Amino acid sequence: MAKIIDGKKISVQIKEELKEKVAKLKRDGKEITLAVIQVGNDEASTVYVGNKKKACEYIGIHSLSYELSEETTQDKLLELIEELNQKEEVHGILVQLPLPKHIDENAVIHAISPKKDVDGFHPQNVGALSIGESGFVSCTPAGIIQLLKRSGIEIAGKHCVVIGRSNIVGKPMAMLLLRENGTVTVCHSKTKDLAKLTKQADILVAAIGKPKFITKEYIKEGAVVIDVGIHRMENKKLCGDVDYDDVIDKVSAITPVPGGVGPMTIAMLMYNCVESISL
Ligand code: NAD
């Protein structure tokens, strides 16, 4: 019987631990503040931003909300970020992506002080991860490491295959698995004979962005499968990059969608916010 890795439960555990830490900081007279910036009113972004603010409230982190119009210029946004960089009482800065097309996302990522970059996207934090120094780590892959560890799944010595090489998920995932002493293979859209590689995986992380792409033909018997994908199907239900029903009898453990990786992303954002006060 496959173990279903309960991301909801693990994310609640993490949030409870953080809540206690924040309460202790408050008793010492320290309050964490996160600035959340949204440009425009993309529906999905509004939901994500709302969930992040709710999580802050639950844990006891003070959040400042900046809702800017779709027409905001890049210069105006960079000006606001610089102002927040300078404010000592602001510990973390989060700019919800994607941004409107006229704004260069890279310029925005570069503008956030690495010490306040709770998303872990700044090149300084990305570089720190790749050379094993401390820094903020991208929330989704950091959450996956927590899922594995807290489910008692050993990473060291395992063949970990990551499908996807995005800056937000695939690449930091590979770096983190390497840091945990996994043997890592990264696959992407130009990989030849994907199934040949994925069938060697003890731990398979699917971050492809294609609904139900991974079927049992891609999986080794007894593999651990982590499904990062989130897709809304025609019947309004959510599914991942993995065809859950097709693979369930072949895997030893799997994350469901919803309730697997998704809830961990916000929990790890909160983790990064709590870390930000000590920088
Ligand atoms: P992305 O589109 O930036 O990257 C997808 C990657 O998949 C690319 O590197 C590409 O090379 C690879 N790919 C595409 N087709 C492939 C193929 N046929 N064979 C092998 N590789 C292929 O996406 P992303 O931002 O990394 O996100 C991936 C998925 O995870 C999406 O479904 C996204 O919605 C989801 N996601 C979920 C969370 C969460 O909190 N659960 C967070 C971020 C992303």
Side-chain angles (χ1 to χ4, degrees):
M1 261 283 267
K3 177 186 172 74
I4 313 300
I5 301 175
D6 190 342
K8 194 137 191 238
K9 189 166 146 201
I10 296 174
S11 73
V12 170
Q13 270 169 15
I14 292 175
K15 284 193 270 185
E16 289 305 322
E17 289 163 17
L18 293 171
K19 200 174 175 179
E20 251 176 60
K21 246 182 168 173
V22 170
K24 187 179 177 306
L25 284 165
K26 275 195 181 154
R27 285 197 294 276
D28 296 341
K30 294 179 187 163
E31 182 169 56
I32 304 169
T33 297
L34 172 70
V36 182
I37 306 173
Q38 184 181 354
V39 186
N41 37 24
D42 174 74
E43 227 174 273
S45 290
T46 305
V47 173
Y48 291 139
V49 163
N51 288 342
K52 289 169 186 178
K53 286 196 265 189
K54 250 190 254 163
C56 281
E57 201 177 316
Y58 180 75
I59 283 165
I61 293 172
H62 178 223
S63 68
L64 296 171
S65 205
Y66 296 88
E67 287 158 21
L68 310 182
S69 77
E70 181 85 24
E71 293 74 38
T72 304
T73 63
Q74 180 168 316
D75 284 349
K76 271 273 169 246
L77 177 58
L78 295 180
E79 226 172 81
L80 171 62
I81 291 171
E82 190 43 32
E83 206 180 287
L84 296 167
N85 280 342
Q86 299 302 330
K87 276 194 178 161
E88 236 174 81
E89 66 275 22
V90 172
H91 304 95
I93 303 171
L94 184 151
V95 179
Q96 184 62 42
L97 303 179
L99 289 164
K101 288 202 168 48
H102 64 278
I103 299 178
D104 174 3
E105 275 183 10
N106 269 337
V108 171
I109 290 169
H110 280 71
I112 298 171
S113 161
K115 288 188 169 166
K116 300 191 179 190
D117 168 40
V118 286
D119 265 331
F121 296 163
H122 191 283
Q124 190 171 311
N125 285 317
V126 175
L129 172 63
S130 73
I131 57 170
E133 287 187 1
S134 60
F136 291 115
V137 177
S138 182
C139 302
T140 303
I144 291 170
I145 296 293
Q146 287 300 315
L147 282 180
L148 292 169
K149 286 190 169 174
R150 290 174 187 245
S151 304
I153 295 164
E154 177 92 24
I155 302 170
K158 296 284 176 63
H159 188 186
C160 309
V161 177
V162 179
I163 321 175
R165 57 173 163 183
S166 70
N167 289 341
I168 292 172
V169 186
K171 282 185 200 147
M173 186 73 255
M175 283 300 164
L176 284 170
L177 290 164
L178 196 56
R179 192 161 88 177
E180 297 295 330
N181 299 314
T183 301
V184 181
T185 300
V186 182
C187 302
H188 47 78
S189 55
K190 299 284 189 290
T191 296
K192 293 203 171 100
D193 202 352
L194 181 67
K196 189 176 165 202
L197 293 162
T198 58
K199 275 183 118 165
Q200 295 172 29
D202 301 311
I203 299 174
L204 180 66
V205 180
I208 316 163
K210 294 192 171 152
K212 299 191 181 183
F213 185 93
I214 297 298
T215 51
K216 59 177 181 288
E217 289 72 33
Y218 287 87
I219 288 171
K220 178 169 87 173
E221 189 81 42
V224 172
V225 175
I226 304 293
D227 189 353
V228 188
I230 311 176
H231 312 276
R232 176 100 34 211
M233 293 184 292
E234 271 179 15
N235 63 6
K236 302 268 187 263
K237 281 193 171 169
L238 292 175
C239 78
D241 287 348
V242 177
D243 188 337
Y244 185 91
D245 294 330
D246 193 55
V247 306
I248 190 71
D249 291 333
K250 209 171 177 187
V251 301
S252 62
I254 187 165
T255 58
V257 177
V261 173
M264 295 302 290
T265 301
I266 290 193
M268 296 316 286
L269 174 70
M270 295 300 106
Y271 176 89
N272 282 349
C273 289
V274 173
E275 288 292 290
S276 69
I277 199 163
S278 3
L279 296 178

